Amino acid sequence: MRIALFVTCLADTLFPAAAEATVRLLERLGHQVVFPPEQTCCGQMHVNTGYSAQALPLVRRHVRTFEPYDVVVAPSGSCVGSVRHQHPAVARRAGDERLAERAEAVAGRTYELSELLVDVLGVTDVGAYYPHRVTYHPTCHSLRMLRVGDRPLRLLREVRGLDLVELPQAEQCCGFGGTFAVKNADTSTAMLADKLRHVLSTGADVCTAGDASCLMHIGGGLSRLRTGVRTVHLAEILAATERDGTSGRTGRTAVRA
């Protein structure tokens, strides 16, 4: 299968290992991954902060960029949630029904990584090896907007060597919420403190999730407390093999479209 990678802003600028791992994993499963170089921010940040008009050109660009592909994947429940739920609404708010219909068509072919693996490719055992004690945080957008359910857990349970431990109060938000963490810093910090306490109670070496944004927030808190617990994107765990070592290695990047 030929799959287009929607890399997301955070992966592009701060966490490229998540995107590289997505490519490495899908190629290992026998698929071709292409990177459309015209892609930019999906506009989620703009919409969430009330700048819908400014998001419209980004929606147009996203639709134009990914329309040629039958399948699109992103290592982010948050950004896929934006594509599915915000893009058509932004277009309709601007009075562009044709763009809204095109956005819905692209959204219908766009998947968060665990959705793609389980629902489209029909696999839960991806041949991964990761000998660590791991706990999983279900991010808000993947949990509530995409409703990925237990798909990430089903994938993690098949990883050889991995000791998966349940996270108490797992469905509780970590407090990031994009600009929420900036505008409501005190509330965000209190929510993060609760999440850190639950993560540490598991005795896990690694906290994983499907969104780099939440892992950035949780990881920052764990680092400041000098806990020794790491945050690792779900894609990196699934891409790791015995040959590559315990955390995966930097692989090839996707071919340009």
Side-chain angles (χ1 to χ4, degrees), residues 4 11 48 90 94 98-99 122 124 145 158-159 169 174 196 200 207 211-212 215 225:
N48 289 349
V90 167
R98 175 57 184 149
L99 177 61
T124 53
M145 291 184 74
E158 298 292 339
V159 176
Q169 302 295 315
C174 71
L196 297 181
L200 294 175
C207 176
D211 277 276
L215 290 175
L225 293 176

Side-chain angles (χ1 to χ4, degrees), residues 17-251:
E20 291 170 353
T22 299
V23 175
R24 194 162 63 248
L25 169 62
L26 293 174
E27 287 185 340
R28 190 173 76 221
L29 293 174
H31 304 284
Q32 180 189 13
V33 183
V34 296
F35 175 77
E38 298 84 5
Q39 64 181 284
T40 59
C41 174
C42 66
Q44 178 186 179
M45 179 177 65
H46 305 68
V47 178
N48 289 349
T49 49
Y51 292 93
S52 183
Q54 287 76 9
L56 184 61
L58 297 173
V59 172
R60 287 199 179 106
R61 187 181 188 93
H62 186 92
V63 170
R64 184 173 66 249
T65 299
F66 287 102
E67 262 185 328
Y69 302 96
D70 293 331
V71 177
V72 182
V73 67
S76 168
S78 177
C79 294
V80 171
S82 177
V83 169
R84 286 193 195 164
H85 296 278
Q86 292 181 338
H87 281 193
V90 167
R92 288 196 170 94
R93 198 173 296 132
D96 193 336
E97 182 59 30
R98 175 57 184 149
L99 177 61
E101 292 171 356
R102 292 168 61 202
E104 286 174 340
V106 171
R109 303 192 296 271
T110 302
Y111 299 91
E112 179 268 342
L113 179 60
S114 72
E115 290 181 314
L116 176 73
L117 292 169
V118 176
D119 296 344
V120 180
L121 303 184
V123 296
T124 53
D125 186 348
V126 298
Y129 172 74
Y130 197 79
H132 294 283
R133 187 176 175 89
V134 176
T135 193
Y136 168 72
H137 165 63
T139 64
C140 290
H141 284 96
S142 65
L143 181 70
R144 297 175 175 86
M145 291 184 74
L146 299 185
R147 302 188 183 278
V148 300
D150 68 344
R151 292 173 184 83
L153 292 171
R154 289 162 63 186
L155 291 161
L156 289 169
R157 290 184 189 119
E158 298 292 339
V159 176
R160 291 184 301 112
L162 188 148
D163 178 15
L164 183 63
V165 290
E166 184 177 354
L167 179 65
Q169 302 295 315
E171 296 185 1
Q172 186 177 57
C173 176
C174 71
F176 179 62
T179 55
F180 172 84
V182 178
K183 294 180 177 179
N184 303 277
D186 291 343
T187 303
S188 173
T189 300
M191 296 171 72
L192 175 61
D194 288 340
K195 181 62 65 175
L196 297 181
R197 185 173 67 255
H198 295 314
V199 169
L200 294 175
S201 75
T202 66
D205 307 312
V206 170
C207 176
T208 191
D211 277 276
S213 53
C214 297
L215 290 175
M216 176 176 66
H217 191 55
I218 296 169
L222 292 169
S223 176
R224 287 190 294 275
L225 293 176
R226 301 189 179 186
T227 63
V229 181
R230 296 179 295 131
T231 52
V232 179
H233 195 283
L234 175 67
E236 295 177 72
I237 293 177
L238 298 179
T241 65
E242 197 163 5
R243 183 188 65 183
D244 299 333
T246 60
S247 60
R249 58 179 171 80
T250 301

